[in-house]
Amino acid sequence: MSDQNPVFIPGPTNIPDALRKACDMPTLDHRSARFAEILHPALEGVKKVLKTETGQVVIFPATGTGGWEAAISNTLSPGDRVLASNFGMFSQKWIDMCTRHGLDVQAIDRPWGEGLPVAEFEAALRADTGHAIKAVLATHNETATGVVSDIAALRRAMDAAGHPALLLVDGVSSIGSMDFRMDDWGVDVALTGSQKGFMLPVGLAIVGLSPKALAAMETARLPRFFFDFRDMLAGYPGAGYPYTPPVGLLNGLATSCAMLLDEGLDNVFARHRHIAEGVRQAVRAWGLPICAASPDLYSDSVTAIVLPETVDGNAMVAHAASRYGTAFGAGLGKVAGKVFRIGHLGMLSEAQALCGIAVAEMALADYDVDITPGAGVAAAQAHYRANG
Ligand SMILES: *Cc1c(COP(=O)(O)O)cnc(C)c1O
């Protein structure tokens, strides 16, 4: 069995050799001037990837989950109301975190497979004439269901309602893979992790802050220490860090940003759409439903595929791993066992995507799913050949 097969999980993603090498560094004194040569390009690169000119970037040794905690604990106070929606495992977990932090969550839940309920959010904001809602939480790409939501539309709805709440966006599985515009969309906190669109090992929580979020940081009363934006920002001009920074990962991040920006973000997004569309064509050829409720919600970073009720998706994913040495995403939470996911973000070529589709066909056939092996591969090949 090979440990060199690409993975088809929606994070951690495949690591390009150039990034693996960039992370592999000898020990460097993080209080020396050399650290500035790593930190500053990483911060500037992330700003460009987030498309922010007015914002600041902070980077913690953590994961996307740490980014959630940094976002809420730096901008909110105990008892503050937040408006959110549970429409998948990740949006649900962020809500759980808010509740555990003593926030008052107003949740407008949706069936898993649907997107952010923008119209209902607008109605809730209009009804909140006293402005009790301090923040709106949005999971840009719900990785559990393969659903991308329209953050620009959410911003328009917030503006139409004339509501001053902060907009906190989880872009963990969208940033660096799908269009994301922090300034244009009026995002106050944007957060992601290193192991998805940035194609790095896990270990960094990457957070963008608008001027409005920076102002909220000064008055927020939720306790924080490790994740305090103020301690991070105070040191950055001199490349100081409030504790020991993960230097190799930061070097990887600077290199990753350079790679993405060199390719051109529009090209990166088009490449993701191209690979994703091949996967979707394959799923169509299998005759299996996509979990995302409508094509406008289809994610270009992950596709969740609904299995026949007779099939245990978790067992099938485990079988693909043990028999074929290939990792697919299992279903999470409410859709555990019912869907399996093909992650297609980060470094993935047409050839690699075809490999994943072919292996998925073998695993599906092994579980007696009524597909024609080769049909999905042929559909994806046709898409790739016609649209290169
Ligand atoms: C992966 C993911 C997370 C969690 O990130 P970790 O790095 O595993 O903590 C949060 N939100 C979304 C949308 C994700 O895809």
Side-chain angles (χ1 to χ4, degrees):
M1 205 170 81
S2 168
D3 62 1
Q4 301 247 304
N5 291 338
V7 295
F8 299 92
I9 48 177
T13 63
N14 301 293
I15 306 176
D17 281 346
L19 294 185
R20 194 157 27 187
K21 287 178 185 154
C23 294
D24 182 6
M25 289 180 69
T27 304
L28 176 154
D29 176 8
H30 60 283
R31 302 196 193 281
S32 72
R34 274 192 63 204
F35 179 54
E37 293 164 19
I38 293 169
L39 178 65
H40 290 156
L43 295 171
E44 288 310 309
V46 170
K47 274 189 204 170
K48 294 198 180 90
V49 172
L50 295 178
K51 293 196 178 147
T52 183
E53 287 181 1
T54 58
Q56 300 269 1
V57 168
V58 287
I59 304 170
F60 298 97
T63 71
T65 304
W68 285 341
E69 190 153 332
I72 61 172
S73 64
N74 280 281
T75 59
L76 298 167
S77 298
D80 275 357
R81 185 173 302 167
V82 300
L83 180 63
S85 175
N86 171 351
F87 58 103
M89 191 69 185
F90 293 93
S91 47
Q92 174 178 304
K93 279 191 163 190
W94 203 7
I95 287 172
D96 181 18
M97 177 187 276
C98 287
T99 307
R100 292 199 218 176
H101 275 76
L103 297 170
D104 170 16
V105 182
Q106 180 176 339
I108 300 174
D109 295 346
R110 276 287 162 271
W112 288 24
E114 293 189 8
L116 208 64
V118 173
E120 288 85 344
F121 270 21
E122 181 174 339
L125 292 167
R126 282 185 191 277
D128 179 37
T129 50
H131 297 165
I133 296 168
K134 299 300 178 203
V136 176
L137 268 50
T139 303
H140 184 200
N141 188 72
E142 182 39 91
T143 319
T145 55
V147 164
V148 65
S149 289
D150 189 344
I151 303 300
L154 175 57
R155 167 46 67 195
R156 286 194 296 274
M158 290 174 71
D159 290 348
H163 201 291
L166 293 163
L167 175 56
L168 314 184
V169 179
D170 171 349
V172 178
S173 59
S174 58
I175 289 168
S177 307
M178 286 183 280
D179 194 17
F180 191 92
R181 305 168 187 228
M182 185 166 161
D183 285 1
D184 283 1
W185 297 347
V187 174
D188 293 303
V189 181
L191 64 99
T192 185
S194 49
Q195 80 276 23
K196 300 204 183 177
F198 285 109
M199 306 168 286
L200 292 165
V202 70
L204 299 177
I206 300 159
V207 186
L209 315 172
S210 75
K212 199 168 147 187
L214 288 167
M217 159 186 100
E218 300 295 348
T219 54
R221 284 181 288 103
L222 277 179
R224 72 270 196 194
F225 182 88
F226 186 86
F227 286 122
D228 202 319
F229 291 161
R230 292 167 297 190
D231 294 339
M232 274 286 166
L233 291 167
Y236 280 176
Y241 213 78
Y243 30 76
T244 317
V247 176
L249 280 172
L250 289 165
N251 194 49
L253 182 60
T255 311
S256 170
C257 290
M259 277 171 65
L260 292 169
L261 296 166
D262 193 45
E263 182 176 352
L265 290 177
D266 287 342
N267 296 329
V268 171
F269 304 149
R271 171 166 58 77
H272 278 78
R273 168 141 308 177
H274 176 63
I275 295 296
E277 189 52 35
V279 171
R280 291 191 285 261
Q281 295 288 343
V283 176
R284 246 169 243 135
W286 296 335
L288 295 176
I290 287 177
C291 182
S294 54
D296 57 308
L297 300 175
Y298 288 169
S299 162
D300 288 334
S301 56
V302 55
T303 300
I305 300 141
V306 181
L307 290 162
E309 274 177 19
T310 49
V311 178
D312 174 354
N314 290 351
M316 196 195 80
V317 165
H319 168 74
S322 60
R323 172 67 183 81
Y324 300 116
T326 302
F328 296 99
L332 302 172
K334 270 188 214 176
V335 292
K338 296 179 183 162
V339 307
F340 82 104
R341 296 174 299 151
I342 300 182
H344 35 74
L345 74 164
M347 180 187 69
L348 208 61
S349 64
E350 292 167 336
Q352 289 171 320
L354 289 168
C355 150
I357 294 164
V359 173
E361 289 183 340
M362 291 196 282
L364 288 164
D366 293 346
Y367 271 71
D368 295 326
V369 181
D370 184 20
I371 61 147
T372 308
V377 171
Q381 286 171 330
H383 175 74
Y384 294 149
R385 292 181 65 214
N387 297 282

